[in-house]
């Protein structure tokens, strides 16, 4: 990874800081504009819905335009939206607020899809896992700093200052992309995107004029990758439960200083993600894995978050938060790297579907968890939601194990029939290619 990519990561971290600061500021501001908790929920729902819709169109948009163009355009659009809110902070009409959250929701999704699908082009397939670790680390630090600074920024400068800071963070990101001009597309600067593994009909062997719209979004994608995306959506649903329940746990554990409790928890979580990056960075050789490692990490993350809500003493709570952060960082890096192994044109579609699954799961989880917390304790709600994610991970593990056993049996049968060793089983990368997910890249890091 060169200095250009690291500079881009720093700029993206600045943007992420403004985004997480704005999550708190915008929720409080929405209550001030709408005057009710229902109104706040409606505004957040509009934001999530716009993100879900953008995820469905992200693949087609990044195929039509360059990824760099999408990144710059979405950053500039979000900058403009936050400038408008900052200027009208004292007298913002509801329609302006809704228009701004639509831009924020769609812009954030499109930018992330473009960035994540462009990482292998910017750093090469060999370095993609390490690059994802750097991105996860930067975002984790930005998350903690954004949440921690939201209260003092709002109290000292009001919503206008908070929105202005967020606008400046988007402008920094857009400026960095424009100045650094990273290579984000295999077709070259300003050229069309080429797909070394694709075909003339769009890289998936299926004409865009045939079949339904949703079918065109998923056709040609390997079954294991779709199962991986489905588990990611279930994981997002489970994660919504602990995000909703954590303020309740903070008030129960430390009624006088709930903010301190939450800051300590998320700081420990961020330390765990840093450790995950350091561990994966050093395991740069070994056999290829993807679905199995992601499923195991999801199980571990669910168990750690449930343990954090059992009311443990402070040291045990910090340990659980660090372990949850480690598992969170592990799954993020492994999952992103696995999807990035797909052919270039297929990759954008995968990340678009992933964004849709994640945001849909989180939105549904937020609503369901909030309703369940009205009648059930936090531990029960978090346990049920994360238990569902763990069950989904176990199902994926079972499916992957059966698939690998069937593949080994087929290889053995072919070898015994021909009397020669099956060369397709001598490479982990070629084994992946039978499922349409390999681009000839080096296998992901593994134990």
């Amino acid at each position: 990874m060169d200095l250009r990519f690291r500079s881009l990561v720093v700029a993206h971290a600045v943007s992420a800081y403004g985004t997480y600061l704005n999550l708190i500021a915008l929720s409080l501001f929405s209550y001030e504009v709408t005057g009710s908790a229902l109104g706040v929920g409606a505004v957040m729902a509009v934001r999530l819905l716009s993100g879900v819709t953008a995820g469905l169109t992200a693949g087609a948009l990044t195929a039509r335009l360059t990824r760099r163009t999408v990144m710059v355009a979405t950053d500039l659009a979000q900058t403009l939206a936050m400038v408008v809110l900052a200027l009208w902070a004292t007298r913002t009409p509801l329609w302006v607020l809704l228009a701004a959250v639509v831009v924020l929701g769609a812009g954030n999704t499109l930018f992330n899809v473009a960035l994540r699908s462009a990482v292998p082009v910017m750093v090469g397939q060999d370095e993609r896992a390490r690059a994802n670790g750097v991105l996860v680390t930067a975002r984790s630090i930005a998350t903690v700093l954004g949440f921690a600074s939201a209260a003092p920024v709002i109290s000292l400068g009001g919503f206008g200052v908070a929105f202005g800071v967020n606008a400046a963070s988007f402008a920094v990101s857009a400026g960095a992309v424009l100045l650094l001009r990273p290579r984000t597309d295999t077709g070259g600067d300003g050229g069309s995107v080429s797909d070394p593994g694709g075909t003339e009909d769009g890289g998936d062997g299926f004409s865009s004029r045939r079949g339904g719209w949703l079918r065109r979004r998923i056709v040609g994608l390997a079954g294991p990758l779709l199962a991986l995306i489905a588990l990611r959506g279930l994981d997002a649903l489970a994660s919504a439960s602990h995000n909703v329940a954590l303020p309740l746990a903070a008030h129960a554990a430390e009624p006088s200083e709930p903010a301190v409790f939450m800051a300590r928890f998320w700081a420990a979580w961020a330390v765990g993600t840093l450790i995950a990056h350091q561990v994966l960075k050093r395991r740069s050789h070994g056999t290829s894995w993807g679905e199995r490692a992601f499923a195991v990490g999801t199980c571990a993350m669910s168990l750690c978050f449930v343990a954090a809500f059992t009311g443990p003493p402070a040291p045990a709570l910090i340990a659980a938060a660090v372990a949850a952060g480690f598992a969170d960082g592990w799954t993020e890096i492994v999952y992103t790297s696995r999807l990035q192994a797909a052919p270039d044109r297929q990759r954008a579609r995968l990340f678009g579907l992933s964004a849709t699954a994640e945001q849909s799961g989180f939105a549904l989880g937020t609503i369901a968890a909030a309703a369940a917390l009205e009648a059930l304790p936090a531990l029960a709600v978090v346990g049920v939601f994360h238990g569902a994610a763990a069950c989904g991970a176990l199902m994926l593990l079972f499916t992957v194990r059966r698939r690998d056993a069937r593949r080994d049996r087929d290889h053995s049968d072919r070898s015994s029939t021909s009397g020669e060793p099956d060369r397709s089983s001598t490479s982990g990368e070629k084994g992946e290619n039978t499922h349409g997910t390999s681009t000839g890249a080096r296998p992901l890091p593994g134990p």
Side-chain angles (χ1 to χ4, degrees):
M1 288 178 292
D2 57 12
L3 181 61
R4 178 184 297 183
F5 179 76
R6 293 185 180 276
S7 300
L8 187 66
V9 170
V10 172
H12 178 56
V14 172
S15 174
Y17 162 78
T19 297
Y20 286 106
L21 183 153
N22 189 48
L23 282 177
I24 296 178
L26 195 61
S27 61
L28 296 174
F29 183 69
S30 298
Y31 183 78
E32 187 173 285
V33 172
T34 62
S36 67
L38 180 62
V40 175
V43 172
M44 294 300 104
V46 169
R47 180 170 182 168
L48 288 170
L49 182 61
S50 64
V52 170
T53 305
L56 292 172
T57 62
L61 187 61
T62 54
R64 188 175 297 275
L65 306 173
T66 64
R67 295 184 179 110
R68 188 171 65 211
T69 300
V70 173
M71 292 164 66
V72 172
T74 52
D75 269 338
L76 292 179
Q78 291 178 93
T79 300
L80 179 60
M82 296 316 300
V83 167
V84 171
L85 285 184
L87 294 177
W88 285 10
T90 57
R91 57 186 190 284
T92 303
L94 180 58
W95 69 269
V96 171
L97 175 60
L98 292 176
V101 298
V102 167
V103 173
L104 292 174
N108 182 65
T109 296
L110 292 173
F111 182 94
N112 284 326
V113 169
L115 175 63
R116 292 162 78 182
S117 60
V119 164
V121 182
M122 287 190 282
V123 303
Q125 285 283 359
D126 290 352
E127 290 289 329
R128 70 185 190 277
R130 188 179 177 191
N132 291 327
V134 173
L135 283 168
V136 169
T137 299
R139 192 187 64 190
S140 299
I141 296 173
T143 301
V144 175
L145 293 178
F147 284 155
S149 62
V153 168
I154 295 172
S155 62
L156 292 176
F159 293 116
V161 172
F163 296 151
V165 169
N166 192 203
S169 71
F170 287 130
V172 167
S173 178
V177 177
L178 284 171
L179 292 175
L180 296 171
R181 296 184 63 80
R183 184 171 180 266
T184 59
D185 300 272
T186 55
D189 293 343
S192 61
V193 179
S194 65
D195 183 5
T199 62
E200 292 180 0
D201 58 7
D204 53 19
F206 191 90
S207 172
S208 62
R209 293 185 297 273
R210 296 168 55 195
W213 179 78
L214 181 59
R215 188 182 180 189
R216 291 200 301 273
R217 300 275 70 78
I218 65 175
V219 69
L221 303 182
L225 288 181
L226 295 180
L228 205 67
I229 292 174
L231 179 57
R232 185 67 170 179
L234 187 58
D235 175 33
L237 184 143
S239 296
S241 68
H242 67 248
N243 277 278
V244 174
L246 191 60
L248 302 181
H251 280 281
E254 297 184 24
S256 59
E257 294 181 321
V260 174
F261 177 94
M262 293 188 65
R264 186 167 59 237
F265 182 91
W266 288 119
W269 172 85
V271 170
T273 62
L274 292 172
I275 297 173
H277 168 51
Q278 295 301 317
V279 170
L280 284 173
K281 179 172 71 173
R282 285 165 172 76
R283 306 183 77 87
S284 57
H285 301 284
T287 57
S288 176
W289 45 249
E291 297 92 346
R292 184 179 290 107
F294 177 67
V296 171
T298 300
C299 283
M301 179 177 59
S302 293
L303 291 175
C304 292
F305 273 119
V306 172
F309 282 84
T310 58
L317 176 66
I318 296 300
V322 171
F326 179 88
D328 221 345
W330 174 284
T331 55
E332 173 73 14
I333 296 169
V334 169
Y335 175 79
T336 303
S337 300
R338 185 69 184 89
L339 265 58
Q340 286 168 348
D344 185 78
R345 191 169 296 187
Q346 191 183 82
R347 196 184 308 143
R349 224 165 355 126
L350 281 170
F351 279 109
L353 284 173
S354 177
T356 298
E358 292 175 51
Q359 299 220 32
S360 299
F362 193 83
L364 179 60
T366 299
I367 297 171
L373 285 169
E374 294 293 328
L376 298 172
L379 177 60
V381 174
V382 174
V384 169
F385 277 66
H386 275 288
C391 288
L394 292 175
M395 290 177 60
L396 180 60
L397 276 174
F398 178 73
T399 302
V400 170
R401 185 174 180 179
R402 289 188 60 185
R403 181 199 69 190
D404 292 345
R406 185 169 59 251
R407 183 196 306 168
D408 293 341
R409 186 167 58 251
D410 292 343
H411 290 162
S412 177
D413 292 342
R414 284 197 296 269
S415 298
S416 61
T417 301
S418 63
E420 297 180 358
D422 183 13
R423 294 183 177 86
S424 65
S425 63
T426 60
S427 170
E429 295 167 21
K430 293 181 181 179
E432 280 184 12
N433 197 41
T434 62
H435 294 274
T437 59
S438 175
T439 58
R442 173 192 281 182
L444 292 176

